[in-house]
Amino acid sequence: MDSGYYAACTAMMTQSQALELVANNLANSSTSGFRAQHSVFQSLLASSSGAPMSPLNEAANQYGILQGTRVDVTQGPLEQTGNPLDLAIEGPGFFVVQTPTGRLLTRNGNFHVAHGQLVASDGNPVMGENGVVQIVGVPVSIAPDGTVSVNGAVAGKLKLAEIKPGTPLESAGATYYSAPQSAEIADTHSTIRQGTLESSNVNTVSATVELITIQRQYDLMRRAMSIFDAQFNKTATEDLPRVS
Amino acid sequence: MFRALYTAASGMVAQQLNLDNVANNLANSSTTGFHSRRLQFADLIYQNLIMPGAAATAQTTVASGLQVGLGTRAGASEVMQTQGDFSSTGNPLDVAIQGQGFFQVKLTNGEIAYTRAGTFQLDSQGNLVTADGNPIQPAIAIPSNTTAITIGQDGTVSVTQPGQTAAQQVGSIQLALFPNPGGLNSMGNNLFLATTASGDPILGTPGGAEGLGTLQQGVLEQSNVNVVAEFIQMILAQRSYESNSRVVKAADEMLKDLNGLTQ
């Protein structure tokens, strides 16, 4: 009984989770190399048994739930910084960083040199084609194909990994992403821009529109719940007993 | 829902810090040898409500998990290494570095600090000192009866004295270079201190193969603050703050709606 009541309740829970995703996207609208997360909704047919349902029953028991999140891989805008160790990727590739928890991918090319090694902004070494890139001396120049030269001599080549289309990326925090290594392929489509950083790819316009939609939908569901509560239950509990 | 409130708050705190940084950069847009800083943000941890790759049924796995991020934080403020504009002053003791090097300055506590501001002066003993009176390292003393001071591109300081035709060399300015100048510690008064992040300085004479750069006498390096870029950053910080506060408002109204249910 009252499965519509629970459908509205489920929708409210779903929309509040969707709000959390939008909040995270908007909070990270200034994070270099950040990839927005989009919510993926799914309808769920609530039935306790596998028995076939009537079309009406099916319609009343289709609940909308948040099934998962999808990392948006569109290119973010490029921002000029002028620092020789700020690198942006134009194309689908990712830098590969060796962290204590394993290999991770990032688009945040805010690199530094520490102990003669090229490191990411949190100090973890950035991988080249043949191991960690050693940088001793200045000036450092990085070619569009990722070749690193220090004071005119080639010091290595940055490793760029491309993820097979359709492979889901997992957010690991600190602008790191991870994907199964089997899904990595050598990148041939990307170019590196030195002295540039890729800004967050959060689209603030669509995030704000999403925010409004969530709020309105939440409001609608609340009204639906009130109607269930006020109209139907009132009839059942107050009016019906009076029928004599 | 409460996550959304805290997530949006983290975004507002980060943007407030961003504006603080922009304010300091703009305030120093006329400071000789000032290097602007740029704030770097990073996303916080993620809560995995559904693990990606978890088993959906005995045969299949979840294609994409349900991950909810918990906001942002300011990660680092990095010193921008772009060269500032040069302005010609004609003062023989104004020196600019065309390159990545730093002048070395000896502080009163004996520590060595590094600066790009080449506004030198002479103290009562004729030592070459910074505007704060700290001597440059290695120390250079100018004889009292000097008529002209020449600082060469390679840092050689020579003086001309009355009655002499040939210039006499009195010392040489050395520069320091850091493997990671972005990791220097700003201590105010245009001075930087070396840290483990910046690495140990590489010392050398200007114009060498190390990439220290050459010296230009009678020229000063202006602040490298790009006023246009700072204004853009300011607008972005303000708008981003605004959109985060909209999330707070939306979450608040949704919670209000929820409370309205139980009348």
Side-chain angles (χ1 to χ4, degrees):
Chain A
M1 191 205 108
D2 270 1
S3 57
Y5 189 80
Y6 293 106
C9 175
T10 311
M12 282 175 88
M13 283 161 69
T14 305
Q15 293 305 329
S16 59
Q17 279 182 333
L19 177 75
E20 284 159 8
L21 291 177
V22 174
N24 188 49
N25 285 341
L26 282 174
N28 282 294
S29 60
S30 299
T31 307
S32 298
F34 179 78
R35 315 267 86 176
Q37 276 189 317
H38 293 307
S39 38
V40 182
F41 295 99
Q42 182 198 30
S43 70
L44 181 79
L45 185 60
S47 78
S48 54
S49 64
M53 283 180 168
S54 69
L56 177 67
N57 216 346
E58 236 177 68
N61 284 297
Q62 286 279 11
Y63 294 177
I65 61 160
L66 197 58
Q67 176 210 15
T69 46
R70 186 171 53 79
V71 175
D72 185 342
V73 291
T74 52
Q75 176 88 38
L78 300 185
E79 187 191 344
Q80 282 251 321
T81 67
N83 275 12
L85 291 178
D86 281 347
L87 308 178
I89 303 174
E90 217 172 328
F94 284 85
F95 296 112
V96 181
V97 179
Q98 189 67 47
T99 70
T101 52
R103 267 165 65 97
L104 290 174
L105 306 169
T106 188
R107 297 272 296 186
N108 180 8
N110 176 234
F111 295 150
H112 303 281
V113 176
H115 309 296
Q117 292 183 337
L118 188 67
V119 296
S121 49
D122 58 357
N124 290 314
V126 180
M127 301 303 286
E129 303 261 275
N130 305 308
V132 177
V133 182
Q134 305 287 337
I135 293 184
V136 180
V138 280
V140 180
S141 77
I142 289 147
D145 69 344
T147 308
V148 182
S149 5
V150 179
N151 208 357
V154 174
K157 189 165 186 273
L158 286 172
K159 185 173 176 59
L160 284 185
E162 197 179 321
I163 306 301
K164 281 185 200 158
T167 314
L169 278 170
E170 192 187 337
S171 304
T175 54
Y176 285 125
Y177 296 89
S178 68
Q181 206 168 344
S182 56
E184 274 181 31
I185 46 176
D187 190 313
T188 49
H189 305 100
S190 302
T191 50
I192 292 180
R193 298 255 175 270
Q194 195 179 9
T196 312
L197 279 178
E198 186 187 6
S199 309
S200 165
N201 73 347
V202 173
N203 183 337
T204 40
V205 178
S206 64
T208 311
V209 171
E210 220 175 313
L211 188 67
I212 297 170
T213 320
I214 289 169
Q215 208 179 339
R216 292 292 159 251
Q217 200 149 3
Y218 192 87
D219 193 36
L220 272 178
M221 289 304 126
R222 182 194 59 84
R223 275 187 218 186
M225 282 181 88
S226 301
I227 292 169
F228 274 116
D229 192 39
Q231 306 296 316
F232 298 172
N233 289 356
K234 186 170 159 281
T235 315
T237 56
E238 292 172 23
D239 299 348
L240 280 183
R242 269 185 233 138
V243 179
S244 52
Chain B
M1 174 106 59
F2 284 105
R3 272 196 292 252
L5 278 174
Y6 291 121
T7 304
S10 80
M12 290 171 82
V13 170
Q15 292 308 331
Q16 203 175 327
L17 208 60
N18 195 4
L19 193 65
D20 291 348
N21 185 57
V22 168
N24 184 50
N25 286 342
L26 283 175
N28 282 295
S29 60
S30 304
T31 308
T32 305
F34 177 78
H35 277 198
S36 64
R37 282 184 174 264
R38 186 179 186 284
L39 221 54
Q40 290 289 343
F41 299 101
D43 49 350
L44 292 173
I45 54 164
Y46 285 78
Q47 283 188 335
N48 285 318
L49 302 184
I50 301 172
M51 261 314 268
T57 65
Q59 283 84 34
T60 57
T61 55
V62 178
S64 57
L66 177 53
Q67 291 192 292
V68 180
L70 298 181
T72 187
R73 69 182 166 88
S77 73
E78 169 197 21
V79 181
M80 299 290 276
Q81 294 308 318
T82 49
Q83 181 96 49
D85 292 339
F86 287 136
S87 69
S88 176
T89 62
N91 183 346
L93 290 178
D94 283 348
V95 188
I97 306 169
Q98 194 167 15
Q100 297 285 317
F102 287 83
F103 295 112
Q104 300 172 76
V105 178
K106 193 171 189 175
L107 303 180
T108 41
N109 61 5
E111 245 183 316
I112 302 289
Y114 304 88
T115 185
R116 297 270 306 179
T119 45
F120 297 124
Q121 285 158 22
L122 296 181
D123 68 2
S124 55
Q125 278 93 44
N127 290 315
L128 205 56
V129 295
T130 63
D132 301 324
N134 294 315
I136 73 160
Q137 191 69 16
I140 294 167
I142 308 288
S144 54
N145 54 351
T146 299
T147 53
I149 303 169
T150 315
I151 299 170
Q153 289 203 343
D154 61 352
T156 317
V157 182
S158 41
V159 296
T160 317
Q161 287 177 309
Q164 289 184 350
T165 47
Q168 189 192 344
Q169 194 180 329
V170 293
S172 174
I173 296 177
Q174 270 199 348
L175 294 182
L177 185 71
F178 290 92
N180 178 25
L184 286 168
N185 176 16
S186 295
M187 58 173 293
N189 290 330
N190 285 330
L191 297 174
F192 293 98
L193 289 177
T195 63
T196 43
S198 69
D200 288 329
I202 303 159
L203 304 181
T205 47
E210 299 97 332
L212 290 157
T214 54
L215 298 186
Q216 300 286 328
Q217 189 184 16
V219 176
L220 277 182
E221 186 188 8
Q222 296 302 311
S223 158
N224 75 347
V225 175
N226 182 338
V227 177
V228 177
E230 295 300 330
F231 274 131
I232 300 284
Q233 198 61 44
M234 190 163 84
I235 294 170
L236 284 174
Q238 197 180 350
R239 292 295 169 224
S240 181
Y241 191 87
E242 211 173 292
S243 58
N244 278 298
S245 74
R246 268 210 63 117
V247 173
V248 173
K249 209 172 147 205
D252 177 40
E253 276 176 25
M254 280 161 73
L255 280 173
K256 201 176 112 199
D257 276 355
L258 192 63
N259 285 335
L261 271 177
T262 53
Q263 279 160 352

